[in-house]
Amino acid sequence: MSRALAPIAFGLLLLVAWQAIVVLAQIPEYLLPSPAAIIATVDRSLVVQFGVTFIEALAGFLIASVLAFAIATLFVRFHTLEEGLFPIAIAVKTTPIVAIAPLLVIWLGTGWWSKIVAAILICFFPVLVNTVKGLKAADLEYRELFETLGASRAQEFRKLRVPYCLPYLFSALKISSSLAVVGAIVGEFVGATQGLGYLIIISSAHLETATLFSAIFAAALAGITMFYAISWTERRLIFWSSGDAE
């Protein structure tokens, strides 16, 4: 609880200073709205748009995580597969999502799936890389011990490689959980009729800066929520580790 007090107190001080600067300097709302003006724009519509983007981001994050873990397992088991497909994964990662998003809209339409796939593409690579590294992280002497004891590949995977991998995996999941929101919003920028990205585009076009800020803060809230949900799960699953794997 004490760890949460510092950021909350700092955030409140920042909002008070922001409000004071806007009022004292008489800054026009279309340039920089005050926190009070931003809060006044929060309504049911914003909650609905938040829910749309959050569901898209969460779905993309979950699908990407499962796919990345499955493919990382194959990479560790079949080195030829890793050598052949890993460059393709790098190529997908280095291609900007803003360049791919228009294609996703053409192929999948302006509905949910183009945004979910955008989130998948941006989340996939960090989980893949860290999972491969984690699955290979088990010490050689432990692997030799399992082999001496006659453990099967499945037993070695479950009882040795997966526990070693979990700190690496959760480090990647915390990164990808925030990136998922970015991917969903980029997809909404290109073609959507709902979601926070759509709200940002519409409010900026109409110079509704207070609504624009509320949408940006809602997007940040979605990323923070997912990040801390992963952190909470990590602390309960990996109680034996400090979570410092890099």
Side-chain angles (χ1 to χ4, degrees), residues 11-12 36 43 50 55 79 89 98 109 112 117 124 157 173 178:
L12 289 175
D43 55 11
F50 172 86
I55 291 171
H79 296 294
V98 292
W112 293 70
V117 172
F124 177 80
F157 180 80
L173 291 178
S178 301

Side-chain angles (χ1 to χ4, degrees), residues 48-87:
V48 170
Q49 307 304 343
F50 172 86
V52 169
T53 299
F54 188 82
I55 291 171
E56 293 167 348
L58 182 62
F61 168 74
L62 293 175
I63 295 171
S65 300
V66 172
L67 284 176
F69 188 86
I71 294 174
T73 302
L74 293 176
F75 280 3
V76 173
R77 178 67 180 85
F78 304 103
H79 296 294
T80 303
L81 196 62
E82 179 181 4
E83 293 173 358
L85 294 182
F86 205 79

